[in-house]
Amino acid sequence: MEKVDGGLAELIPDRDRPRGWTLLLDGAPQSHVDLDDPAHLDFAYQRRLGHIVDLIAPAKQPLQVLHLGGGAFTMARYVAATRPRSTQQVVEIDTPLAQLVRRELPLDPNARVRVRGADAREGLARLPDGWADLIIADVFSGARTPAHLTSAEFLADVRRVLAPGGYYAANLADGPPLAHLRGQIATAATVLPNLALAADPAVLRGKRFGNAVLLGSDAALPVAEWTRRVATDPHPGRVEHGRDLADFTGGAAPVTDASAQPSPTPPAAVFK
């Protein structure tokens, strides 16, 4: 174990993969990495993000990707492995955590990944207009997304940094009554005209706490193929979009900086 800004970090070896590791923060699984196979994604929500990387542009075409939240750099490794020559920036506020990961789970030295120690919103603000083909937001502090990363003002800056036709993908976490998730969809709709949401059906029905991946763009979304891949996952999920997503959102109000709250605290049983 090692003390980092976000708590106690621990790397647990994967019994099924000789160079596979799970990063825990205060006992909660945060990331999984296989150094021999960086294209392997162990967590269901990360596989849903991986499908997005695979679908938004022709195979192996390099992308410019911004990662808000670094963890063990799982998605940055995936992009580097599947789309060589991509240019990536990772913004991670927990510098001791990033240093631990770089020391114990080193990045491919040929990967064009720059890691910047900063708050996600501050790091986003430093990027020029239209820089990113893809922005992935996966930011948790104490298992909660900070309030200032849930607002329309934050998403307006996301839209500014996205290239025309670029994509935004966010890992969101919520449980019944799903007020946070519905509010995040309503907020994203204020800046991105096309949205889709992937999650476990039990999460969408408000039966349990879990992750949902929100995808947005001003371009058409690869909904049909994303839906197929999510449905055939080892942990099958469902994709909502269009009228069904609007009905799910249920008239929730967009979140502003003035009204923003962190995402809910997960129940203790989630990590047992």
Side-chain angles (χ1 to χ4, degrees), residues 129-179:
D129 295 3
W131 183 88
D133 300 309
L134 173 63
I135 296 176
I136 297 176
D138 187 9
V139 187
F140 289 85
S141 175
R144 304 177 74 185
T145 301
H148 69 296
L149 304 179
T150 69
S151 70
E153 291 89 341
F154 163 68
L155 281 167
D157 213 29
V158 165
R159 178 70 184 264
R160 177 189 65 79
V161 174
L162 282 177
Y167 294 82
Y168 172 67
N171 176 34
L172 307 173
D174 199 7
L178 299 177

Side-chain angles (χ1 to χ4, degrees), residues 106-248:
L107 287 161
D108 180 347
N110 295 317
R112 297 169 63 180
V113 179
R114 179 182 179 185
V115 181
R116 175 177 289 176
D119 170 78
R121 192 155 164 181
E122 292 174 3
L124 178 69
R126 293 176 189 158
L127 283 167
D129 295 3
W131 183 88
D133 300 309
L134 173 63
I135 296 176
I136 297 176
D138 187 9
V139 187
F140 289 85
S141 175
R144 304 177 74 185
T145 301
H148 69 296
L149 304 179
T150 69
S151 70
E153 291 89 341
F154 163 68
L155 281 167
D157 213 29
V158 165
R159 178 70 184 264
R160 177 189 65 79
V161 174
L162 282 177
Y167 294 82
Y168 172 67
N171 176 34
L172 307 173
D174 199 7
L178 299 177
H180 173 72
L181 184 56
R182 298 182 209 276
Q184 287 305 285
I185 299 166
T187 306
T190 64
V191 297
L192 295 167
N194 301 312
L195 296 173
L197 183 78
D200 184 294
V203 173
L204 293 173
R205 291 196 301 267
K207 299 294 186 183
R208 69 171 181 83
F209 195 98
N211 295 89
V213 173
L214 180 63
L215 174 63
S217 181
D218 62 355
L221 304 179
V223 171
E225 183 60 20
W226 197 37
T227 299
R228 187 189 71 79
R229 296 188 186 200
V230 169
T232 56
D233 189 82
H235 296 280
R238 195 168 82 220
V239 172
E240 300 283 17
H241 66 101
R243 170 65 59 162
D244 289 340
L245 185 61
D247 289 345
F248 174 81

Side-chain angles (χ1 to χ4, degrees), residues 1 37 48 76 99 102 133 148 167:
M1 287 192 181
D37 182 10
R48 287 161 192 165
Q99 291 171 339
R102 298 191 80 162
D133 300 309
H148 69 296
Y167 294 82

